[in-house]
Amino acid sequence: MKLSRRSFLAAGAGSIAGAVSSAVFPGMKAPSLESPPPAAAKTAEGVKGRPKLCVSTYSLQSFRRDPDGIEKSILTAADFGIDAVDILHRSMPSEDNAYCQKLKQTAYRNGVALACLSIHQDFVDPHPEYRQRMVEHTIRCIELAYNMGIPAIRLNSGTWGTTGSFNDLMKARGIEPLIEGYTLDDGFGWVQDSIYKCIPTAEKCGVVMALENHWGIAGTPEGMIRIKNSVNSEWLKFLLDTGNFLENPYSKIEQVIKDCAFVSCKTYQGGGTWYSLDLDYDHIFKIFYDADYRGYITLEFEGKAEPIQASVESLTLFKKCIDKYYTNYPVK
């Protein structure tokens, strides 16, 4: 039995879980997700914008480098009624124009938006030549996103690189010493100067650079805000990752959500790949609602459970929270 997009959207939160479980995962116990009546509208017209559901391609692929994985992720999103996908740039087998246009057309024909291109770069480096290569990489990715009809890229500040591998950085809970002989002000200066060089291309292409709290200098609200205020451009916004504030996440989320262009929500069924957090998503979505966040809510599943099943469970939970706090549209 194939669960269609129409049936997914028509189902309530509780029946979604049951339908998906019986169709895709026989024997799986459906969680109880009965939603309360939707919140009252804030406007006299009875309409309030609400976030859309998105899923990262790596959530559905479990980090596998499948040459057809992104296209499969788009089709899976369509089958499950998910509004959009966030493409992990490193998982793209090619940047060839024919491949990129194929993805764009597959998404369009299946009613799925390509919401973000998540790229990697590192501007925290004392060598100007290296930083320039990172600037050129970022500019190329902005143009790639524009070519694919993607309105935002994920931007990293970069890390000091003094703890070794990413696994070592995770063991250190994202905390690392500075490069010897350099200061925190040096690091912020490198990041701000590098981002500033990318602004003209972002403006020309209409692609927002969404700075994520992805460890390093932008790993705290204070660091994110300092970079954004220094660059001072409408083409630099924030990308909140709920799983990257390891301590006191809720107060930190509140500090950045009003300037977010995009939000990633982490889940860890089966135990985290690097770590697990016990995140209260009812609390988090209330923060989103209070800040009037209306953009995409994308799932980043980083657990060890079966990825499709865990993604369905997580997205059903997110839909329940949206239904609880946001007004339903009059046209459904």
Side-chain angles (χ1 to χ4, degrees), residues 71-309:
E71 188 170 14
K72 290 177 183 176
S73 295
I74 293 169
L75 295 174
T76 299
D79 286 341
F80 290 165
I82 302 165
D83 299 292
V85 297
D86 169 19
I87 295 177
L88 183 65
H89 176 247
R90 284 182 172 176
S91 68
M92 291 178 62
S94 170
E95 291 183 4
D96 180 77
N97 185 61
Y99 172 74
C100 293
Q101 299 311 316
K102 179 182 179 183
L103 292 182
K104 182 165 69 175
Q105 287 300 314
T106 298
Y108 178 72
R109 289 195 300 270
N110 286 277
V112 176
L114 302 181
C116 186
L117 181 66
S118 286
I119 74 171
H120 291 77
Q121 73 283 94
D122 189 342
F123 298 136
V124 184
D125 192 284
H127 301 95
E129 298 84 2
Y130 178 83
R131 297 198 304 273
Q132 181 58 32
R133 289 203 301 273
M134 292 293 99
V135 168
E136 292 169 0
H137 166 71
T138 304
I139 288 173
R140 187 182 83 249
C141 288
I142 291 171
E143 293 172 339
L144 179 66
Y146 171 74
N147 193 36
M148 297 174 70
I150 301 175
I153 65 165
R154 189 273 299 275
L155 196 71
N156 297 332
S157 64
T159 67
W160 292 97
T162 53
T163 56
S165 69
F166 183 74
N167 289 339
D168 293 331
L169 181 63
M170 292 299 93
K171 290 177 183 177
R173 298 183 68 80
I175 300 171
E176 56 180 350
L178 278 60
I179 298 174
E180 186 175 353
Y182 295 94
T183 68
L184 197 57
D185 286 342
D186 290 327
F188 275 108
W190 299 331
V191 173
Q192 293 155 5
D193 179 65
S194 298
I195 294 175
Y196 192 75
K197 291 178 180 177
C198 301
I199 293 293
T201 304
E203 182 176 9
K204 178 183 70 174
C205 294
V207 173
V208 169
M209 295 182 289
L211 178 66
E212 184 179 321
N213 53 322
H214 192 79
W215 318 113
I217 282 180
T220 65
E222 294 79 11
M224 297 171 75
I225 292 167
R226 176 173 173 175
I227 292 168
K228 183 178 182 299
N229 288 346
S230 176
V231 174
N232 190 28
S233 169
E234 63 178 314
W235 298 104
L236 179 66
K237 300 292 184 183
F238 291 149
L239 193 163
L240 166 68
D241 188 320
T242 61
N244 289 357
F245 288 142
L246 300 185
E247 283 79 32
N248 306 312
Y250 309 113
S251 62
K252 293 177 180 178
I253 290 170
E254 289 173 346
Q255 291 180 61
V256 301
I257 185 61
K258 288 185 181 295
D259 287 314
C260 282
F262 199 69
V263 166
S264 294
C265 292
K266 286 233 172 58
T267 59
Y268 308 93
Q269 289 94 318
T273 304
W274 291 282
Y275 58 85
S276 297
L277 295 179
D278 184 16
L279 294 168
D280 181 351
Y281 273 113
D282 184 87
H283 186 180
I284 289 172
F285 274 76
K286 179 62 163 59
I287 295 172
F288 295 164
Y289 176 78
D290 288 342
D292 200 23
Y293 178 75
R294 305 181 181 205
Y296 287 105
I297 302 286
T298 190
L299 167 67
E300 290 191 341
F301 169 62
E302 291 192 358
K304 298 174 184 176
E306 200 287 323
I308 301 293
Q309 176 177 359

